[in-house]
Amino acid sequence: MSANQIHEADRVEGAPHPRETETLFGQDQAEQDFLLALNSNRLHHGWLISGPKGVGKATLAWRIARFLLTLPAEDGGGMFAPEPQVHRSLNVDPDHPVSHRIRALSEPGVFLLRRGFAGSTDSAREKARQDGKFAADIRVNEVRELSSYLHMSMADGGRRVVIVDSADEMNVNAANALLKMLEEPPARTVMLLISHQPSRLLPTIRSRCRELRLHALSSDNMQLALTQAGFEANDSPALSEMAAGSVGEALKHLQQDGLPLYAELLSLFSSSRGLDRSKALNFVNALNGKGADAKLELILGLFDLFLARLARTGAIGAPPRVEIAPGEGNLLMQLAPSVHKARDWAKAAQEITDRTRHGKSVNLDPASLVLDTVFKIHQTAVA
């Protein structure tokens, strides 16, 4: 994290915050669906912006917020009222005063509801703020702050925009409190709920929102988004495949060497002599040093990815079209040559998930957790 960045629960560390991102790539349909509702005078008060993590949901929410807050105030109409303007883009001049205030988090027309810092006292929360430790969920007290905000009168009578990032992180009490606001929405207020897994939300929350569904990015759009964020991705197709079209995941892999780590993982099982134990120990050494917790989560995610691709290869009889690392296709076919083997890999993936969850709950040594997973994969490969 650079010196000018602050700890924020809704920021990918080391990357620009979505409110600082001007252009959204690959999600034109969602933008046009919103503009169609606006141009048709059917602007709903609640919008559920859904889709996989890291595909631009928060960027779209901030683009909508900027756009709505720069629209001229409605004059009430009348026989001499001008024809309503047809809006074709959410683009806003980055030098517009609203753009400046949004980047600085000082725009009075926006309320951002997100996880606060951990701790039950002011001093504990201040220490958590300095350490960058966030609460596990959005709590009801934070929703009550939103309620107080909505009961205040805007000085200019203008619009207000509420961004919830993400709605999935609300605990039960917070979700019920937000539901009441959706049921009785304040005038000239638009609520934008970001959700990675909308099926986990209260059905009553979903029913009171219109949905804008975003999709995984193509390799080309991924490259454009990464360049905008200030990152170079020379192996964009492989990175896009690895990240499943998610810029957020791609940024994580770029910053934590996900591609070379995945290639190293494949090499553990590529030897004709079986598992290379010395390589396995070297692989575990990636957990040493700074950022060990994040590296552990990355490695566990790479195991999940490898197992999923093995099961898919066996099920359809062919490896994925795009290789994440050289030689991956041949290895996947070697280890998963049949539908029967695909079932073995699917079963192993579930067992590994259960064992990993248990190991983390009892604070098992990360190196032991990773080695246990390596041995389980090897056992499945030779069975």
Side-chain angles (χ1 to χ4, degrees):
M1 177 177 291
S2 63
N4 63 340
Q5 287 184 0
I6 58 175
H7 294 294
E8 298 182 89
D10 54 345
R11 178 196 289 269
V12 175
E13 195 158 307
H17 190 277
R19 68 176 178 272
E20 302 164 344
T21 304
E22 295 178 11
T23 304
L24 177 62
F25 297 101
Q27 308 296 354
D28 294 346
Q29 186 61 58
E31 290 206 3
Q32 290 306 311
D33 288 347
F34 181 84
L35 288 169
L36 177 61
L38 177 68
N39 291 329
S40 304
N41 199 28
R42 291 184 286 107
L43 184 61
H44 201 63
H45 68 277
W47 293 83
L48 182 61
I49 305 177
S50 65
K53 280 189 176 183
V55 298
K57 298 186 298 298
T59 298
L60 176 59
W62 285 102
R63 280 174 61 78
I64 290 173
R66 266 194 304 270
F67 177 77
L68 290 178
L69 295 175
T70 54
L71 291 180
E74 298 168 356
D75 61 11
M79 65 180 298
F80 298 110
E83 286 290 321
Q85 182 179 354
V86 176
H87 303 283
R88 304 189 184 282
S89 170
L90 294 176
N91 291 339
V92 173
D93 187 343
D95 289 328
H96 192 287
V98 168
S99 299
H100 283 290
R101 290 195 296 269
I102 280 181
R103 287 194 295 270
L105 274 182
S106 61
E107 169 53 53
V110 174
F111 187 98
L112 173 58
L113 178 60
R114 57 183 175 180
R115 283 183 294 135
F117 291 103
S120 57
T121 65
D122 290 344
S123 59
R125 282 190 290 272
E126 174 57 25
K127 185 177 188 308
R129 185 190 69 79
Q130 296 173 6
D131 296 339
K133 295 182 178 179
F134 299 98
D137 48 27
I138 296 174
R139 298 161 291 194
V140 69
N141 287 343
E142 285 136 5
V143 181
R144 287 175 182 150
E145 292 178 12
L146 168 59
S147 179
S148 299
Y149 166 80
L150 293 177
H151 281 93
M152 294 170 56
S153 298
M154 291 291 287
D156 59 358
R159 294 183 188 273
R160 284 183 287 202
V161 179
V162 176
I163 297 175
V164 184
D165 192 1
S166 72
D168 307 336
E169 295 173 338
M170 293 186 293
N171 64 26
V172 174
N173 291 334
N176 284 318
L178 185 73
L179 174 60
K180 292 179 181 178
M181 299 176 201
L182 285 167
E183 291 173 334
E184 300 177 7
R188 296 180 60 75
T189 297
V190 174
M191 303 183 73
L192 306 171
L193 280 63
I194 296 165
S195 176
H196 317 303
Q197 295 178 295
S199 61
R200 299 181 61 181
L201 299 177
L202 293 174
T204 42
I205 286 181
R206 298 200 307 269
S207 68
R208 283 163 175 77
C209 297
R210 283 194 58 182
E211 187 170 8
L212 293 172
R213 179 74 182 174
L214 275 61
H215 302 281
L217 298 184
S218 67
S219 177
D220 290 344
N221 282 320
M222 172 83 75
Q223 179 68 63
L224 292 170
L226 290 172
T227 300
Q228 178 178 236
F231 290 83
E232 292 295 330
N234 296 325
D235 200 0
S236 185
L239 184 62
S240 182
E241 179 80 1
M242 184 182 211
S246 164
V247 177
E249 283 296 301
L251 287 173
K252 180 176 72 175
H253 290 307
L254 281 172
Q255 295 181 86
Q256 299 183 28
D257 297 325
L259 280 170
L261 267 177
Y262 186 73
E264 190 175 345
L265 185 157
L266 296 182
S267 73
L268 301 181
F269 308 102
S270 298
S271 172
S272 59
R273 298 187 300 275
L275 176 65
D276 189 324
R277 291 177 178 266
S278 63
K279 281 188 177 181
L281 292 174
N282 288 334
F283 185 73
V284 169
N285 287 336
L287 294 169
N288 296 328
K290 187 177 179 181
D293 290 343
K295 190 71 76 174
L296 173 63
E297 291 302 319
L298 177 68
I299 288 175
L300 294 178
L302 295 181
F303 282 134
D304 289 342
L305 176 65
F306 181 46
L307 291 166
R309 289 168 76 81
L310 279 166
R312 179 179 180 273
T313 297
I316 67 174
R321 183 175 58 84
V322 178
E323 285 192 333
I324 296 177
E328 182 196 25
N330 288 336
L331 179 63
L332 293 176
M333 285 299 297
Q334 175 188 329
L335 298 180
S338 65
V339 173
H340 173 75
K341 200 63 180 180
R343 295 194 191 100
D344 290 345
W345 286 117
K347 181 181 177 181
Q350 185 58 57
E351 291 177 1
I352 286 171
T353 296
D354 293 341
R355 290 161 70 162
T356 298
R357 185 182 298 116
H358 175 71
K360 291 169 71 175
S361 69
V362 298
N363 293 319
L364 185 68
D365 173 58
S368 299
L369 192 60
V370 170
L371 277 176
D372 179 67
T373 302
V374 169
F375 293 147
K376 177 61 180 176
I377 292 175
H378 173 63
Q379 290 170 4
T380 305
V382 299

